[in-house]
Amino acid sequence: AQSVTQLDSHVSVSEGTPVLLRCNYSSSYSPSLFWYVQHPNKGLQLLLKYTSAATLVKGINGFEAEFKKSETSFHLTKPSAHMSDAAEYFCVVSDLDNQGGKLIFGQGTELSVKP
Amino acid sequence: DAGVTQSPTHLIKTRGQQVTLRCSPKSGHDTVSWYQQALGQGPQFIFQYYEEEERQRGNFPDRFSGHQFPNYSSELNVNALLLGDSALYLCASSDNGRGSYEQYFGPGTRLTVT
């Protein structure tokens, strides 16, 4: 069975400093992995996705993630945090074994950005 | 181009009642998935509809049922509501006909059961 584990429930950074949100996955085959962001009272927005192409994936708003098979990790990074980055972030694996694939979400990491 | 839309935005129901939530997929999408997000948790997969049939189902009781219409819109029905059904219900659409599994989410319906 596939699963994702987000290693931090809450991360706090200062504006202008780097962001690192950690995610480990478990999958019996080559997974499709995603990061979604959820701002308060808003829906989920796709930040980036990995689907077995380049291992370094660039997303929107300056975020990127690196797929490391040997470490079963898919950590999300951003060089410089902005106040508008404060939100809940979800690491997600897609169950592509079944056509169409349900999404399996991690528990989420709340990112706070201090001025 | 409208994205995924859901109605209503908020809903308050009493234990034992029934509720119907609605979702219109993004234009060109043929597949709708439903998720339940309890407070402080990640979304949990309820089921997915494609070609008007339930194709995949998560670990939810039969009180949760759905339907997909010929125009690809979808409904989620929950019978005999429990307090624990209070959550944000998210609809996501995708274009599985083209083999694209990227899912786009609507803003959700906040259900409160009292």
Side-chain angles (χ1 to χ4, degrees):
Chain A
Q2 291 156 284
S3 65
V4 288
T5 301
Q6 294 184 242
L7 301 174
D8 307 290
S9 58
H10 185 250
V11 170
S12 181
V13 301
S14 297
E15 191 174 21
T17 64
V19 175
L20 170 63
L21 305 184
R22 300 181 296 162
C23 172
N24 287 348
Y25 71 89
S26 173
S27 177
S28 56
Y29 48 86
S30 183
S32 286
L33 292 161
F34 308 81
W35 276 97
Y36 280 84
V37 61
Q38 187 175 37
H39 288 93
N41 300 315
K42 292 200 172 181
L44 289 157
Q45 181 183 20
L46 179 66
L47 277 179
L48 50 80
K49 62 180 178 181
Y50 166 78
T51 55
S52 74
T55 56
L56 183 62
V57 181
K58 294 188 183 298
I60 62 172
N61 300 335
F63 285 96
E64 63 181 39
E66 186 171 8
F67 174 74
K68 292 187 176 181
K69 186 175 181 178
S70 61
E71 299 176 10
T72 61
S73 69
F74 189 58
H75 300 335
L76 180 70
T77 60
K78 182 174 181 177
S80 176
H82 191 272
M83 295 296 292
S84 61
D85 294 328
E88 188 85 17
Y89 291 79
F90 292 97
C91 181
V92 181
V93 63
S94 177
D95 178 18
L96 283 181
D97 192 30
N98 290 303
Q99 187 179 17
K102 69 181 182 183
L103 298 182
I104 301 165
F105 285 76
Q107 289 292 87
T109 297
E110 182 182 0
L111 175 65
S112 299
V113 182
K114 298 174 290 187
Chain B
D1 177 24
V4 180
T5 60
Q6 294 185 243
S7 62
T9 305
H10 295 86
L11 205 51
I12 300 175
K13 290 287 189 178
T14 304
R15 276 180 301 175
Q17 286 187 317
Q18 178 265 343
V19 68
T20 297
L21 311 181
R22 295 176 176 82
C23 171
S24 291
K26 183 177 169 63
S27 178
H29 285 186
D30 56 11
T31 301
V32 172
S33 303
W34 287 92
Y35 295 81
Q36 180 196 66
Q37 185 178 19
L39 201 61
Q41 304 290 319
Q44 298 287 316
F45 176 77
I46 303 175
F47 42 54
Q48 184 181 84
Y49 278 84
Y50 174 66
E51 294 187 338
E52 302 181 48
E53 291 190 359
E54 182 183 291
R55 181 161 64 178
Q56 207 176 355
R57 188 178 182 92
N59 189 25
F60 279 81
D62 291 344
R63 297 187 297 109
F64 289 77
S65 64
H67 188 77
Q68 186 180 34
F69 298 94
N71 67 352
Y72 307 120
S73 66
S74 177
E75 288 182 350
L76 164 65
N77 300 293
V78 187
N79 294 323
L81 284 166
L82 303 174
L83 294 179
D85 295 330
S86 295
L88 180 67
Y89 288 84
L90 295 164
C91 168
S93 72
S94 53
D95 184 3
N96 287 354
R98 289 196 299 133
S100 170
Y101 304 119
E102 187 172 315
Q103 295 189 18
Y104 293 79
F105 284 83
T109 294
R110 173 75 61 187
L111 172 64
T112 302
V113 182
T114 62

